[in-house]
Amino acid sequence: MTITKIEIRPGAYYDSVVLMHLQRALVELPEVKDAGVVMATPANCELLIEGGLYPAEAQAAKSDDLLLVVKAATEDDAQNALARVDELIAARRSKASQTGFRPRSIPSALKSLPEARWLLVSVPGRYAAGVARQGLEAGLNVFLYSDNVSLEEEVELKKFASERGLLVMGPDCGTAIVSGVGLGFANRVRRGEIGLVGASGTGLQAITSAIHRLGAGISHAFGTGGRDLKAEVGGITALQSLYCLAQDPETAVIVLVSKPPNPEVAARLLGAARACGKPVVVNFIGYPAPEQRLGNLQFAPNLQEAARIAVGQTGGQPVLSPTGDLDGRYLRGLFSGGTLAVETVLALQNLLFPLYTNVPVSAHQTLENPMHSRAHTIVDLGEDEFTQGRLHPMMDNDLRIRRLRQELADPETGMILLDVVLGEGAHPDPAAELAPEVEKATANGITVVVMVIGTDEDPQDMEKQIHAFQQAGAAVFGSVSEAVSKLAEMVPPPGESGPELKFPDPEMLIGPLAAVNVGLESFYESLASQGAEAVHVDWRPPAGGDEKLAGILAKLKSSA
């Protein structure tokens, strides 16, 4: 036989770590069989119901009320346990590392720590965007740990931050390392010359820990939050973080890690990575890597390999600048082999944006009219729309020559990419017809890249074919992989194609970290234990959690 007693404390806010410790302390009392200590949100109440800790009278609690539930053998035992709650809270607070005055607002905190450049936010999600915005208005970069922040609020916050040259890591950002200080769930790692940008918190932890075990160290690691590389957000934080690491003299190698990104955002981020001037290791989990290496980009198949490659790059290998110049013009690929065209699309989508094709691997790549190129274009001339009533382009060069002339007449064409497939049944001497057209292109300043697919035993005489194209001024390769790797050196990174960003001042990374913490007190304690300058705000929900009253107060403040 047990009895369950409750206590409701209207508008009494405590962070989730304090509540966890308080619940454990109650359960450890000898007279208590079970206990629940939660803010009375619907989700928390559901958990209490499942645990048999939700008597009927608990239904009177509101989301912003503290709900205390104790199950004991007798009513006196339950009541005595509830009576000890304030004592247990006081004991918990006495163990906190900060003593004395605690500011109640961000402006007050900055008066006591004016050198702060960072704000850590871990308050409940419905308040988090508002607190983060207060920090941005005060000129602070934000580490936003809180979840349950809407996508619309995230976009608004990041755009607001970008306009001011500030950074928002998150929401739902679990891990970061700034100036040697771990934020959130970061591991303790040595300082070094490898910087990271991650849209995966545990991915950052896995790679930074592996780098540490391999004997190297971390300069900085920026978390972006898991939605940053979605189309709606556009990779704002990832692009800003990459810029900071590119400008940081302490960072020699950069690692990008993410759960599957939006293809358009990935292309933009990889374009920025190519232009950053430093070796970049990429691990986009579940995203097809075109090659092991594209210029200064090296693609890793998993987290451990990303760490190993990054450590191997710390020897200071030079990064080559692109040798070609499209000068705002586009690449046009004219293929006879369908699989070769698809493989090329998979590879070039990481280099060129926008990229269109009649053999798309993503819907946004679809070329609406295959008869006319648009921006960067790969066309498989062996598709049905081209071969009705005519020979396949592996046997007949007429269609490709006509399309090649069409592309050369287009002032937007800056580079031509061709495949030439040798072997039984193919055209007996494709270079005899194609090389003169290639020579016309190169004579007019158009770069031409030719992939010759075949063997030295093919009837077309592979060496003769290669020599003819080289004499015409083309760069010749034997596979898509070789051609795309060379293109990464020849083709400049794409220009900015998303929202215009104002980048943070890299000087924010110089010197010791100083931060204001709002929310979980354990995050403040972690900062202090790592030697960072920090101040903890004694935050409470506006208007005691009364949303209607809070709205009225906000309107009064804005009109003042």
Side-chain angles (χ1 to χ4, degrees):
M1 178 69 180
T2 58
I3 187 167
T4 301
K5 298 288 291 183
I6 74 162
E7 180 179 341
I8 299 172
R9 297 191 175 187
Y13 171 80
Y14 296 94
D15 74 52
S16 55
V17 174
V18 172
L19 298 181
M20 176 190 70
H21 285 287
L22 179 55
Q23 178 170 305
R24 288 180 179 176
L26 284 173
V27 171
E28 289 173 358
L29 295 175
E31 67 270 23
V32 173
K33 304 296 183 183
D34 200 359
V37 180
V38 297
M39 301 305 296
T41 64
N44 286 336
C45 291
E46 186 66 30
L47 292 173
L48 291 178
I49 291 170
E50 292 179 5
L53 289 171
Y54 196 75
E57 56 267 33
Q59 297 177 20
K62 299 178 181 178
S63 293
D64 294 295
D65 295 341
L66 176 63
L67 178 58
L68 307 166
V69 185
V70 172
K71 181 183 290 186
T74 69
E75 184 170 352
D76 285 344
D77 286 342
Q79 200 62 53
N80 289 337
L82 288 173
R84 294 191 60 185
V85 165
D86 289 325
E87 173 189 336
L88 294 171
I89 291 174
R92 164 67 187 168
R93 282 187 164 173
S94 70
K95 295 179 181 179
S97 56
Q98 184 181 9
T99 59
F101 170 73
R102 284 186 169 182
R104 299 294 296 271
S105 68
I106 293 171
S108 295
L110 289 174
K111 289 180 180 179
S112 61
L113 190 63
E115 62 270 33
R117 294 184 177 181
W118 293 89
L119 172 70
L120 281 67
V121 180
S122 53
V123 301
R126 60 189 178 279
Y127 304 112
V131 174
R133 189 179 180 94
Q134 291 172 22
L136 294 172
E137 290 172 345
L140 300 176
N141 299 285
V142 175
F143 174 82
L144 183 50
Y145 170 82
S146 305
D147 54 12
N148 293 308
V149 175
S150 72
L151 183 60
E152 293 75 16
E153 288 175 317
E154 176 174 353
V155 172
E156 190 277 331
L157 279 175
K158 290 186 173 181
K159 288 182 176 179
F160 184 80
S162 172
E163 292 168 1
R164 288 154 180 77
L166 297 171
L167 192 69
V168 173
M169 293 191 283
D172 201 13
C173 180
T175 303
I177 301 171
V178 180
S179 301
V181 176
L183 310 181
F185 299 131
N187 299 95
R188 296 286 181 97
V189 296
R190 71 176 61 84
R191 293 297 300 273
E193 53 184 349
I194 300 175
L196 297 94
V197 180
S200 169
T202 52
L204 277 182
Q205 287 190 268
I207 296 177
T208 55
S209 297
I211 289 171
H212 178 87
R213 292 195 301 270
L214 289 167
I218 307 301
S219 57
H220 312 278
F222 295 103
T224 69
R227 299 183 303 207
D228 190 68
L229 268 61
K230 286 184 175 292
E232 297 86 346
V233 186
I236 292 175
T237 300
L239 289 162
Q240 289 181 305
S241 301
L242 178 62
Y243 171 84
C244 289
L245 293 176
Q247 299 299 313
D248 177 34
E250 302 300 319
T251 299
V253 180
I254 299 171
V255 178
L256 302 179
V257 60
S258 171
K259 289 165 282 192
N262 171 269
E264 295 183 36
V265 179
R268 187 178 182 217
L269 181 58
L270 292 175
R274 289 181 59 219
C276 80
K278 295 181 179 181
V280 179
V281 181
V282 182
N283 178 226
F284 287 165
I285 301 166
Y287 191 77
E291 302 293 334
Q292 287 186 341
R293 183 186 293 275
L294 290 176
N296 64 315
L297 306 184
Q298 193 158 351
F299 292 83
N302 54 56
L303 300 171
Q304 180 66 30
E305 189 68 4
R308 187 194 67 77
I309 294 171
V311 172
Q313 292 279 358
T314 55
Q317 296 184 13
V319 175
L320 299 176
S321 299
T323 56
D325 186 3
L326 288 175
D327 191 26
R329 296 176 295 171
Y330 299 107
L331 179 144
R332 303 289 164 74
L334 308 178
F335 280 75
S336 62
T339 300
L340 295 174
V342 172
E343 184 182 2
T344 302
V345 169
L346 282 168
L348 291 182
Q349 69 181 356
N350 297 280
L351 292 176
L352 303 174
F353 182 83
L355 177 65
Y356 298 101
T357 177
N358 64 334
V359 285
V361 295
S362 298
H364 71 274
Q365 297 170 340
T366 301
L367 182 63
E368 294 180 1
N369 182 0
M371 304 301 172
H372 295 278
S373 296
R374 176 186 178 194
H376 300 294
T377 297
I378 300 294
V379 179
D380 174 15
L381 295 170
E383 282 289 284
D384 290 347
E385 61 260 35
F386 294 108
T387 58
Q388 293 180 14
R390 67 167 64 240
L391 287 174
H392 193 278
M394 284 177 59
M395 295 182 282
D396 182 4
N397 289 310
D398 180 69
L399 177 61
R400 185 142 58 158
I401 290 172
R402 291 176 184 273
R403 182 60 176 263
L404 180 56
R405 291 171 178 171
Q406 175 183 320
E407 300 296 353
L408 296 181
D410 183 352
E412 292 192 336
T413 300
M415 183 178 290
I416 296 292
L417 177 60
L418 304 173
D419 69 333
V420 175
V421 183
L422 310 179
E424 299 295 338
H427 192 284
D429 189 6
E433 297 179 354
L434 291 172
E437 303 299 327
V438 169
E439 187 172 11
K440 293 175 186 177
T442 56
N444 284 287
I446 303 297
T447 301
V448 180
V449 176
V450 179
M451 293 177 283
V452 177
I453 309 300
T455 73
D456 58 358
E457 297 187 11
D458 284 327
Q460 292 88 354
D461 188 343
M462 185 173 69
E463 288 301 320
K464 173 186 172 183
Q465 300 293 316
I466 292 173
H467 180 72
F469 285 116
Q470 289 176 334
Q471 285 293 104
V476 183
F477 302 94
S479 68
V480 171
S481 176
E482 293 174 3
V484 170
S485 294
K486 187 61 177 177
L487 284 171
E489 300 176 8
M490 298 171 65
V491 179
E496 289 297 313
S497 56
E500 184 176 349
L501 301 178
K502 184 176 180 181
F503 293 103
D505 185 349
E507 288 192 2
M508 70 179 181
L509 304 177
I510 299 174
L513 183 132
V516 175
N517 183 63
V518 181
L520 296 174
E521 188 171 341
S522 59
F523 282 1
Y524 163 79
E525 294 169 351
S526 173
L527 292 173
S529 70
Q530 295 177 76
E533 290 290 325
V535 60
H536 181 69
V537 173
D538 188 15
W539 182 85
R540 293 288 182 271
D546 186 323
E547 294 187 10
K548 183 176 180 179
L549 179 57
I552 294 172
L553 293 176
K555 289 180 180 179
L556 290 173
K557 181 179 178 181
S558 62
S559 62

